[in-house]
Amino acid sequence: QVQLVESGGGLVQAGGSLRLSCAASERTFSRYAMGWFRQAPGKEREFVAAIIWTLGSTLYANSVKGRFTISRDNAKNTLYLQMNTLKPEDTAVYYCAARSVGLSVTAGGWNYWGKGTLVTVSS
């Protein structure tokens, strides 16, 4: 089974930027879509962004559209999330996810998950 490892989280001031990365543990990795979810303390896990791997088609949550950009490097089997104009409400543990078929904005159906990386945005 594929292991996903996130990196790039940390502390940043409001208005700042941060880039998250998600690397697959295997040299080769087949997937239909990859995405990012986040979970803030006391809240449910929510969808952030997703990308259809082969086409590059993207989908964003309304809360991050215009500020975040999801992208991938096929050669590196790496997923990225560029986060700009960060707000305190973006503070959460960010999870990388992948799925073999289809695309959804709910956690169910995403069959691979990373352990998460913490993003803290201070005011």
Side-chain angles (χ1 to χ4, degrees):
Q1 187 167 312
V2 175
Q3 187 85 11
L4 303 178
V5 181
E6 304 95 336
S7 62
L11 176 64
V12 64
Q13 293 181 309
S17 299
L18 208 59
R19 189 179 77 158
L20 305 184
S21 299
C22 173
S25 61
E26 297 182 354
R27 183 174 59 258
T28 59
F29 179 46
S30 180
R31 89 295 288 164
Y32 177 74
M34 293 190 72
W36 293 94
F37 289 76
R38 67 186 183 186
Q39 188 165 21
K43 300 184 67 177
E44 61 191 0
R45 189 169 299 188
E46 67 173 345
F47 172 79
V48 176
I51 185 168
I52 297 176
W53 195 262
T54 58
L55 298 178
S57 303
T58 58
L59 179 66
Y60 297 93
N62 289 334
S63 60
V64 305
K65 192 171 185 179
R67 299 188 298 121
F68 291 11
T69 302
I70 187 171
S71 62
R72 85 290 197 219
D73 186 327
N74 189 56
K76 295 179 179 292
N77 277 325
T78 301
L79 179 73
Y80 302 99
L81 184 67
Q82 178 65 47
M83 305 184 294
N84 297 326
T85 319
L86 282 162
K87 306 174 181 180
E89 51 263 46
D90 293 318
T91 295
V93 175
Y94 284 70
Y95 297 91
C96 174
R99 57 188 295 153
S100 300
V101 297
L103 179 65
S104 74
V105 298
T106 58
W110 293 82
N111 49 330
Y112 301 102
W113 292 89
K115 298 300 182 183
T117 185
L118 178 63
V119 172
T120 302
V121 184
S122 63
S123 60

